[in-house]
């Protein structure tokens, strides 16, 4: 009898995360829906002007900003992350592997504000120097501050490394030994085997890692706030300052009220939907990989 | 280009990428320490911040961090471990477990700022009479929602590591399911669960975005869990962005990094030594 009660309590614990997801969805939708209903979903998402004081709420600049920063992060994070994963799965000598893996874990543990501070004081000045000295003639003044898409992409690219490395390494290790041995037996050298055999066999897992890294990049707030410049205008070059969807919420929620607050919740809805789509996609491709094998 | 040369180049390329990844970590931690360490002193830790944090120490954010972390973990450890026990010990893989897993994964993917929005609407605004509005309690409840998935997943791994033969041995002796879990499985999984807790603490300390919406950001020493406060990472952000006093920001970051390093080291030690002792017994 007593055991049945305990079991029910445990079931309740297990259901907690389900309850939280439902509540998060419900609250964010309820708070943000009135504004979307009023403005219209299309003109909210594709509206080019964000003037909270004047009651004009269009998040298109932030959508583009998020897209630009995420793509930039992938351009830096994916080649570096997947190659590091190849190193861990195929090249690393036994004594080195656990240390590199620990370093990658630690990279995941560093608070995002610390990345932000590093970005503000090291990467932003470097970008500023490049912009002024190499492209000084062609860039307009707001693109020479160093804050912007490039700085945000570099910082985010480093931040998503752990996700990409660990998931890609798992995927590479899951490739059956026979594939590799068969290729070696035909006289194909190591690198050729990896490129033509191992990586294609692990591609669905690697893709899942990339998509999850994308999810991390889209959701990241603090580090981006500190390096992106946060101007709510359509970026005109990769040196332009930009604002992301999550940055929009983090930046303005502390003083927003009324319709303005609703618009930030509505931004949250868009973010929520994007992340859910990305994660379902990651699950879908990861699941596909298992079946193929 | 001959095959041998190509292979050599490829190896250099792969080693280079790994070195770059590790290099990024070393440079970031090294730079923060280099810039921040010389400002850290006993008085920096024990003095209250003055002038929006641009002068003085970090005592109140430090205290805020400790309270906030304690309350969050008090919620997250029992519920996370409870959920993991239910998922590994009490159910076979079925529809219910699949649904729970799906939502746990979904929760892990929701951006922390969106969870912060929820925390603001639910804990800060709607439950104001219970939580005190912007307060340590509101922030802890929000952070609990955020770290629940990772607590469940790591605890589950710890429980899975206990061999089935040990459970079966206990059940064969006539010990009930519940007592088997409580006295046989849980003690064995303890190092793993403690590691999960350390991981959770690390994430809670590093998280900032949801706290911007729920913790209030007060610089006063918190009187109770119903007071607003700020954590070290929030302090670092606000000082860097609002006062531009980077020496304080760097010192705060150095304290944060040291705490994270200690937590990682602790987790490593636990898994290696405590784990071996229990497995050996």
């Amino acid at each position: 009898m007593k055991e049945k009660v305990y079991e029910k309590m445990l079931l309740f614990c297990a259901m907690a995360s389900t309850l939280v997801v439902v509540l998060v969805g419900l609250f964010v939708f309820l708070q943000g829906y009135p504004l979307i209903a009023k403005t219209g979903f299309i003109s909210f998402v594709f509206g080019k002007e964000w003037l909270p004081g004047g009651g004009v709420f269009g998040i298109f600049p932030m959508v583009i900003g998020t897209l630009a920063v995420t793509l930039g992060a992938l351009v830096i994070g994916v080649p570096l992350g997947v190659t590091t994963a190849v190193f861990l799965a195929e090249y690393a000598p036994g004594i080195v592997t656990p240390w590199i893996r620990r370093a990658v874990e630690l990279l995941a543990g560093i608070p995002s504000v610390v990345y932000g501070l590093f970005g503000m004081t090291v990467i932003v000045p470097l970008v500023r120097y490049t912009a002024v000295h190499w492209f000084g003639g062609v860039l307009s003044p707001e693109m020479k501050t160093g804050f912007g898409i490039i700085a945000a992409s570099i910082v985010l690219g480093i931040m998503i490394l752990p996700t990409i490395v660990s998931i890609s390494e798992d995927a590479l290790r899951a490739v059956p030994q026979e594939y590799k041995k068969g290729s070696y037996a035909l006289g194909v050298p190591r690198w050729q085997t990896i490129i033509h055999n191992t990586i294609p066999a692990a591609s669905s897992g690697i893709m899942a890692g990339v998509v999850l890294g994308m999810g991390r990049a889209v959701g990241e707030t603090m580090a981006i706030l500190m390096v992106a410049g946060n101007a709510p205008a359509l970026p005109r070059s990769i040196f332009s300052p930009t604002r992301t969807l999550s940055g929009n919420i983090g930046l303005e929620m502390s003083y927003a009220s009324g319709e303005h607050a609703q618009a930030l919740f509505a931004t949250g809805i868009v973010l929520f939907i994007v992340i859910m789509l990305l994660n379902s996609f990651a699950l879908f491709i990861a699941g596909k990989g298992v079946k193929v094998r | 280009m001959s095959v041998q040369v190509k292979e050599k180049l490829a190896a250099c390329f792969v080693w280079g990428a790994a070195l770059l990844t590790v290099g990024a970590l070393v440079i970031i931690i090294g730079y923060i320490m280099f810039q921040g360490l010389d400002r850290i002193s006993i008085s920096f830790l024990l003095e209250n911040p003055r002038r929006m944090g641009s002068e003085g120490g970090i005592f109140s954010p430090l205290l805020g961090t400790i309270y906030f972390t304690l309350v969050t973990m008090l919620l997250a450890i029992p519920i996370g471990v409870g959920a993991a026990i239910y998922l590994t010990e009490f159910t076979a893989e079925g529809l219910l477990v699949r649904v729970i897993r799906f939502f746990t994964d979904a929760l892990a993917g929701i951006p922390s700022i969106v969870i912060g929005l929820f925390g603001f609407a639910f804990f800060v605004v709607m439950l104001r009479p219970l939580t005190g509005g912007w307060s340590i309690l509101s922030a802890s409840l929000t952070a609990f929602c955020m770290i629940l998935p990772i607590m469940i997943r790591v605890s589950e791994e710890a429980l899975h590591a206990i061999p089935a033969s040990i459970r079966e041995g206990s059940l064969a002796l006539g010990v009930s399911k519940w007592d088997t879990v409580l006295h046989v499985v849980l003690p064995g999984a303890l190092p793993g669960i403690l590691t999960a807790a350390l991981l959770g603490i690390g994430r809670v300390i590093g998280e900032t975005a949801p706290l911007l919406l729920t913790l209030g950001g007060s610089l006063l020493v918190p009187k109770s869990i119903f007071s607003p406060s700020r954590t070290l990472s929030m302090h670092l952000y606000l000082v860097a962005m609002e006062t531009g006093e980077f020496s304080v920001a760097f010192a705060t970051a150095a304290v944060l990094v040291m705490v994270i390093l200690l937590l990682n080291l602790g987790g490593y030690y636990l898994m290696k030594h405590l784990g071996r002792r229990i497995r050996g017994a």
Side-chain angles (χ1 to χ4, degrees):
Chain A
M1 187 56 220
K2 209 166 67 186
E3 304 223 343
K4 277 273 167 263
V5 177
Y6 291 145
E7 204 181 319
K8 284 278 169 305
M9 276 162 61
L10 291 178
L11 173 65
F12 177 76
C13 293
M15 295 299 290
S17 44
T18 310
L19 184 72
V20 170
V21 174
V22 172
L23 280 177
V24 169
L26 198 70
F27 267 83
V28 176
F29 271 84
L30 282 182
Q31 299 277 328
Y33 182 73
L35 188 109
I36 289 186
K38 196 183 146 209
T39 332
F41 187 74
I42 299 292
S43 53
F44 179 68
V45 175
F46 293 100
K48 289 193 185 65
E49 298 221 71
W50 175 266
L51 304 163
V56 182
F57 302 105
I59 57 167
F60 194 60
M62 285 75 120
V63 173
I64 296 298
T66 305
L67 214 64
V69 165
T70 305
L71 280 180
L74 291 181
V75 167
I76 291 162
V78 171
L80 192 54
V82 174
T83 317
T84 304
V86 168
F87 174 80
L88 282 170
E90 304 285 340
Y91 278 84
I95 5 163
V96 183
T97 319
W99 288 99
I100 306 244
R101 219 178 271 149
R102 219 162 287 144
V104 173
E105 271 168 33
L106 203 54
L107 214 49
I110 295 179
S112 57
V113 280
V114 173
Y115 280 105
L117 184 65
F118 180 79
M120 268 176 113
T121 53
V122 177
I123 293 175
V124 167
L126 282 176
V127 175
R128 184 186 303 140
Y129 183 88
T130 313
V132 172
H133 287 85
W134 296 4
F135 303 100
V138 280
L139 297 178
S140 53
E142 92 272 6
M143 299 179 195
K144 290 185 199 163
T145 59
F147 292 93
I149 294 176
I150 292 194
S153 300
I154 295 173
V155 172
L156 264 186
I158 302 172
M159 290 182 76
I160 63 173
L161 275 179
T163 312
I164 295 178
V165 172
S166 60
I167 297 178
S168 303
E169 192 201 341
D170 287 347
L172 289 167
R173 282 188 189 278
V175 174
Q177 283 294 316
E178 290 79 17
Y179 285 31
K180 234 178 3 189
K181 286 182 184 155
S183 176
Y184 287 157
L186 291 172
V188 181
R190 177 149 77 165
W191 179 246
Q192 302 269 322
T193 303
I194 291 169
I195 289 288
H196 296 293
N197 231 311
T198 319
I199 290 182
S203 61
S204 61
I206 294 175
M207 268 308 284
V210 170
V211 176
L212 287 177
M214 240 170 121
R216 240 202 115 183
V218 170
E220 175 53 41
T221 313
M222 304 313 294
I224 297 189
L225 277 183
M226 294 168 88
V227 298
N230 304 325
L234 276 174
R236 288 186 294 135
S237 85
I238 51 171
F239 285 99
S240 293
T242 192
R243 187 187 285 192
T244 61
L245 291 167
S246 49
N248 195 33
I249 304 171
L251 206 61
E252 297 188 356
M253 197 59 213
S254 52
Y255 61 86
S257 62
E259 261 195 348
H260 185 191
Q262 286 180 351
L264 296 175
F265 273 97
T267 312
I269 298 179
V270 175
L271 201 54
F272 190 91
I273 295 173
V274 171
I275 290 289
M276 284 298 168
L277 287 177
L278 277 179
N279 286 340
S280 316
F281 184 58
L283 266 180
F284 172 72
I285 44 182
K288 228 168 123 183
V290 176
K291 261 176 236 141
V292 169
R293 226 178 282 133
Chain B
M1 217 188 311
S2 77
V3 173
Q4 282 89 343
V5 174
K6 263 191 198 163
E7 286 295 309
K8 280 261 156 54
L9 278 179
C12 287
F13 175 64
V14 172
W15 273 88
L19 284 179
L20 207 59
T21 302
V22 178
L25 175 80
V26 173
I27 289 173
I28 292 173
I29 291 186
Y31 185 74
I32 297 288
M33 288 304 193
F34 174 73
Q35 293 282 341
L37 268 186
D38 58 334
R39 216 198 143 109
I40 297 178
S41 61
I42 296 295
S43 66
F44 181 72
L45 295 178
L46 295 183
E47 253 176 53
N48 269 325
R50 291 188 304 272
R51 297 174 64 100
M52 291 175 70
S54 61
E55 285 172 19
I58 52 167
F59 182 66
S60 58
L62 195 63
L63 208 63
T65 308
I66 293 171
Y67 284 167
F68 162 70
T69 309
L70 274 179
V71 177
T72 309
M73 293 324 283
L74 276 177
L75 292 164
I77 293 175
I79 297 186
V81 173
I85 292 175
Y86 187 82
L87 288 173
T88 49
E89 310 290 330
F90 282 89
T91 45
E93 293 290 323
L95 182 66
L96 181 67
V97 176
R98 279 219 297 281
V99 169
I100 291 175
R101 285 247 156 74
F102 173 80
F103 277 104
T104 309
D105 285 343
L107 184 58
I110 298 179
S112 57
I113 189 86
V114 174
I115 296 186
L117 278 176
F118 156 71
F120 171 77
F122 189 49
F123 300 124
V124 175
V125 176
M126 198 170 154
L127 297 182
R128 186 182 296 265
L130 296 173
T131 59
W134 281 284
S135 68
I136 293 175
L137 183 59
S138 297
S140 289
L141 286 164
T142 311
F144 155 75
C145 297
M146 207 191 68
I147 63 157
L148 188 57
I150 189 178
M151 292 298 302
I152 295 177
R153 201 174 307 149
V154 186
S155 309
E156 254 192 288
E157 267 170 38
L159 292 169
H160 273 307
I162 305 297
S165 57
I166 290 184
R167 293 185 185 83
E168 285 155 9
S170 168
L171 293 172
L173 290 171
V175 179
S176 74
K177 181 96 193 172
W178 177 255
D179 285 325
T180 301
V181 169
L182 205 60
H183 299 291
V184 179
V185 178
L186 267 187
L190 198 62
I193 291 174
L194 284 176
T195 309
L198 289 181
L199 261 175
I201 292 177
R203 266 206 74 185
V204 165
I205 290 179
E207 196 52 59
T208 315
L211 305 190
L212 284 179
L213 314 185
T214 52
L215 191 53
S218 160
L219 272 173
L220 300 172
V221 174
K223 289 197 186 65
S224 72
I225 58 168
F226 303 104
S227 315
S229 181
R230 63 165 73 174
T231 63
L232 286 174
S233 37
M234 198 176 166
H235 186 63
L236 156 57
Y237 171 75
L238 293 170
V239 167
M241 295 291 276
E242 287 175 2
T243 72
E245 190 55 60
F246 283 108
S247 67
V248 175
F250 273 117
T252 312
V255 173
L256 266 176
V257 168
M258 282 192 283
V259 172
I260 298 290
L261 284 176
L262 279 178
L263 286 172
N264 270 277
L265 222 66
Y268 173 64
Y269 176 84
L270 270 178
M271 277 322 266
K272 201 166 171 164
H273 295 274
L274 209 54
R276 184 179 299 155
R277 205 163 70 209
I278 285 173
R279 274 196 299 276

